Amino acid sequence: MRTLSAQFFKICTFFLVVIITTTAGLSIPSISKRDTVAKCPDNNFPVFVGSSCKTQHSMIVQCKNANTNARASHEQQCNQGENCVDFLLNDDVAFAMCVPVNKLLQWTNGNTDDEFCSGTIRFDSGASGDSISIGLNTYDTNGNPIQVFDMVEKVNNQQIGEVKNQHNFSQIYRNYNVHDIVTFCFIPGASDPHNPYYANKAIANAYIVRLSSIGGKDVQFTDIEPVISQNNTLYIEN
């Protein structure tokens, strides 16, 4: 593997305070006080259905009327300095969240057609055996979703999932143990028939969250997410 970043074994720690009340099916204002989580501000459609990233800096939020099941959607912007990542709230509900850039794993292929892998991210404290939601999105240089040929997610260097010809990949990983290392890879795919080594530039954003911190356990609580360690060294897989 060839190291692409000069920042080797850089560790970033942070605390993320999340106030959560619910999962899909209840009033979205009770999910979080943070602007970075999807909201349903229209009193005619107060029930959260799902959300997904529209661009690197915005999400589409679907809401419904509890009595008629009529649905409405709106676009919600991320705060400055945040990028949108798609997660799963449970196996059926998509849940987008805007994450501060300094907490994300970010890397790019430049304009090269090869497999490019992220640095590492992990929880260093908290309970073992929890379920986590893992999210990976790829965007072009204008912040719009860009489809790539292959996306892979790994825990402790063991592949746990793969999708092809997508711009995002979200899944739930159960029985996560503290210090388990999560990594991501993508292959952009050749875009120039005269130069098989050239590919359109894709910028990857990846992150992990405990399901308990975004309402995945259907309970009301206040959670302080444990410290996460990140190593933002980037690699090309040979």
Side-chain angles (χ1 to χ4, degrees):
M1 293 189 296
R2 301 193 299 273
T3 303
L4 295 183
S5 172
Q7 297 180 339
F8 199 80
F9 295 113
K10 178 181 179 182
I11 297 178
C12 302
T13 60
F14 59 88
F15 291 91
L16 175 63
V17 179
V18 186
I19 301 176
I20 304 293
T21 298
T22 184
T23 181
L26 296 181
S27 175
I28 193 67
S30 65
I31 284 185
S32 177
K33 300 297 184 182
R34 298 186 308 142
D35 293 336
T36 52
V37 176
K39 296 179 181 296
C40 291
D42 189 338
N43 291 331
N44 293 315
F45 302 94
V47 180
F48 175 71
V49 176
S51 56
S52 59
C53 297
K54 180 182 180 182
T55 70
Q56 192 171 21
H57 305 298
S58 66
M59 65 179 78
I60 294 294
V61 184
Q62 288 192 336
C63 308
K64 71 177 182 179
N65 184 288
N67 297 318
T68 66
N69 283 326
R71 298 192 178 193
S73 62
H74 65 277
E75 184 173 352
Q76 180 176 318
Q77 299 295 318
C78 296
N79 291 325
Q80 186 173 359
E82 296 177 338
N83 288 348
C84 192
V85 179
D86 286 309
F87 298 98
L88 291 176
L89 188 61
N90 57 48
D91 290 332
D92 301 314
V93 179
F95 187 84
M97 188 164 67
C98 297
V99 181
V101 173
N102 62 357
K103 298 178 181 179
L104 288 169
L105 289 179
Q106 279 193 309
W107 71 105
T108 179
N109 64 303
N111 287 114
T112 303
D113 181 29
D114 207 331
E115 182 176 45
F116 287 79
C117 295
S118 70
T120 63
I121 189 168
R122 72 185 186 214
F123 286 100
D124 277 338
S125 62
S128 289
D130 277 357
S131 295
I132 63 171
S133 193
I134 300 174
L136 168 62
N137 289 65
T138 49
Y139 297 100
D140 64 19
T141 55
N142 294 316
N144 296 309
I146 184 172
Q147 179 177 294
V148 296
F149 174 70
D150 189 63
M151 288 179 158
V152 169
E153 296 176 344
K154 302 178 182 180
V155 175
N156 295 329
N157 209 34
Q158 298 297 312
Q159 183 172 312
I160 60 169
E162 179 181 23
V163 296
K164 294 185 181 296
N165 301 314
Q166 301 291 329
H167 68 268
N168 61 358
F169 184 19
S170 307
Q171 64 176 320
I172 293 173
Y173 180 79
R174 294 175 172 84
N175 296 316
Y176 175 88
N177 293 314
V178 175
H179 305 307
D180 281 350
I181 294 172
V182 181
T183 53
F184 308 81
C185 298
F186 77 91
I187 301 174
S191 58
D192 185 346
H194 302 293
N195 183 358
Y197 299 104
Y198 179 85
N200 290 327
K201 183 176 181 178
I203 302 167
N205 294 259
Y207 196 60
I208 61 175
V209 293
R210 292 182 184 271
L211 275 185
S212 58
S213 72
I214 57 173
K217 290 184 177 179
D218 302 323
V219 295
Q220 181 174 350
F221 65 99
T222 299
D223 179 66
I224 298 178
E225 190 169 306
V227 173
I228 289 180
S229 291
Q230 293 170 259
N231 168 11
N232 284 301
T233 304
L234 310 183
Y235 299 99
I236 301 176
E237 294 288 341
N238 290 320

